[in-house]
Each structure stands twice: as C-alpha cells, then as structure tokens.
Amino acid sequence: MLALAGCKKDVVVAAPPTVSLEFEQTVGTDPLVLDTKTYNTLAGDQFTVNTFRQYISNIVFTKTDGSTYAVPDSYYLLDAAKPDNQHITLTGVPEGDYKGLTFTIGVDSLHNVSGAQKGALDPNNKMFWTWNSGYIFTKLEGSSPQSRTTALTFHVGGFQKPYNAVRTVSPAFQAGTTLLVRAGHNPEIHLNQDLQKMFSGPTTIRFGGTGSMIEIMSAGPNAMMMADNYAAGMFTVEHIHAN
C-alpha cells in the first residue's frame, strides 16, 4: 500500500483557453505608416495619415450550431500609434466550434451616456466630445495636397437618430475555416483593417473639387456616409492560427 501511495501521479489541468484578435492596419495593400508615407484613394487623391484611432466593441462569437457568446464589457480602442493596442486577448470564451465573429465599430448608446468611464472609454483618450454628443468612433487626421487647406480631419461619431453612426460588422471566416476553442489552446484571429475603405464604397469621398469632403467634426450626414463606407468592407479576416 505504501508503494502504491508513492506512485501517485500529479494531475495536470489544461489552462482555460483564450482567443486573440490581431489587427493589421493597411491602406489598400500597403501597411499603414504614420506621418511619412503618402497613399492614394481609389479615386486618385493623395493623403498622409498622422493619427488613426477606432473603437471596437460588443464582440460576439457564433458557434456552428447557431448559438452565440457575447463577450462582456468588450470595449477596445485601436490606436495606430500604439502597436500593443492592435492585440486583444479575450478570456472566458466557452469551448466549442465557432463559425463567425461580429463586433461593433463605435460605442453603443448606453455607454455614450454612462458618465465618466475608465480604460478604453476614458475621456482622456481624446476620443470624446461631450456628454451630449458622446464618443468619437473613428478618428483620422492627416493631410492631402488636394485639400484646399492641405489638412484632413475626420472625427466620425453620433449615436442618436437620425445620425446614428454606430455600425455592426461580421467579417467572414475563410471558406472551410472554423475557430476551435479548446482548453490549453489559444487561437488567434488575424484581421486586416483597410483605411482606404473609408473613402470608397457606397459613397466616393474626394478631397478636392465640387462636393469634396476634408472635415467631419460632429455627428451628421457626412459622418453617416463615412460610417457606411467603412462598414461595407474595412475589416476582413485574413486567417486563423490554431495555436
């Protein structure tokens, strides 16, 4: 009996799974480089990006059986000047096989009016107008030789009708791909975030000439047009690492 007791083995418990979202910001096929690189819109206008920030929130995973899991309190600020912001690690995602991912670009109406908040929603992140106007969902600042002032300033937001710029997207997994969440494994979803899609899609946005747009500084019809553009294809799932 003593010999048997001495042979007792330690039980190894697999660590709970995590799911990571990795974002790569590009302009078309080119990596986003702040301040120094000049890009072209699909309409032919040139521009440089000095600042790019965007809120991602309300992340939901869909299983192959159609059931869903909503990640609680999922509010994140992607900032091109801070590489660490491009990696989001999610804990608590139930084990299972998942076929889809959905998230919001922006901040929902409840959190727009919830008073002072912390973390990604801290007003000190310079993504907040006022308690009446709420959060800036997407901020792009830069320059263009086609702009009459050379400056470009796009602060897209608004959560109240008729100018609700909150958008929900579901970038598709590649055909035949399933996100497998298992204990002891940490899969990564790699997503591309294409800034070129801010200026093309349902509406072509030009920086010079009649009908040009070089500034958005509040909620309104122009913010709606740009939100519709980037909701139409800004995010794509490049691949999934099983890990």
Side-chain angles (χ1 to χ4, degrees):
M1 291 180 64
L2 290 174
L4 290 173
C7 293
K8 183 178 179 180
K9 295 182 179 180
D10 293 331
V11 177
V12 178
V13 179
T18 64
V19 177
S20 296
L21 306 182
E22 297 276 357
F23 293 88
E24 179 185 6
Q25 293 154 351
T26 64
V27 182
T29 58
D30 295 325
L32 175 64
V33 178
L34 297 178
D35 300 323
T36 59
K37 187 172 178 61
T38 299
Y39 302 95
N40 292 309
T41 67
L42 293 180
D45 291 332
Q46 296 178 313
F47 68 103
T48 298
V49 181
N50 305 123
T51 300
F52 181 75
R53 301 187 189 117
Q54 189 171 60
Y55 274 111
I56 301 300
S57 63
N58 296 308
I59 298 169
V60 178
F61 292 97
T62 301
K63 285 187 174 183
T64 54
D65 64 6
S67 61
T68 59
Y69 171 73
V71 180
D73 298 320
S74 48
Y75 297 88
Y76 302 93
L77 179 59
L78 304 180
D79 186 340
K82 299 178 179 180
D84 288 349
N85 285 177
Q86 317 313 316
H87 178 99
I88 297 172
T89 300
L90 305 171
T91 59
V93 179
E95 294 185 31
D97 298 355
Y98 292 85
K99 65 178 182 179
L101 167 71
T102 297
F103 55 83
T104 294
I105 306 173
V107 179
D108 53 82
S109 58
L110 175 62
H111 282 79
N112 268 282
V113 297
S114 293
Q117 298 170 77
K118 297 180 180 180
L121 297 177
D122 190 327
N124 290 325
N125 290 323
K126 299 180 180 180
M127 291 290 286
F128 194 78
W129 283 317
T130 68
W131 300 120
N132 290 328
S133 299
Y135 285 91
I136 300 167
F137 304 155
T138 301
K139 176 184 285 190
L140 185 149
E141 296 174 352
S143 60
S144 170
Q146 282 75 44
S147 165
R148 63 182 181 275
T149 65
T150 72
L152 299 175
T153 305
F154 299 111
H155 296 183
V156 178
F159 63 95
Q160 301 182 62
K161 294 181 179 180
Y163 300 124
N164 181 359
V166 176
R167 297 291 182 269
T168 298
V169 297
S170 300
F173 292 175
Q174 292 179 327
T177 301
T178 303
L179 174 69
L180 304 178
V181 180
R182 303 284 190 274
H185 295 275
N186 304 295
E188 297 178 353
I189 304 174
H190 288 245
L191 298 106
N192 185 59
Q193 186 180 13
D194 184 0
L195 276 64
Q196 197 174 59
K197 297 300 176 65
M198 296 178 66
F199 311 112
S200 63
T203 302
T204 298
I205 294 175
R206 302 298 305 266
F207 304 146
T210 303
S212 64
M213 187 190 304
I214 60 171
E215 181 178 276
I216 299 172
M217 292 290 286
S218 63
N222 286 345
M224 297 280 284
M225 283 194 296
M226 183 163 280
D228 287 340
N229 273 0
Y230 59 61
M234 185 177 198
F235 290 92
T236 55
V237 174
E238 294 287 295
H239 55 270
I240 297 175
H241 283 317
N243 284 357

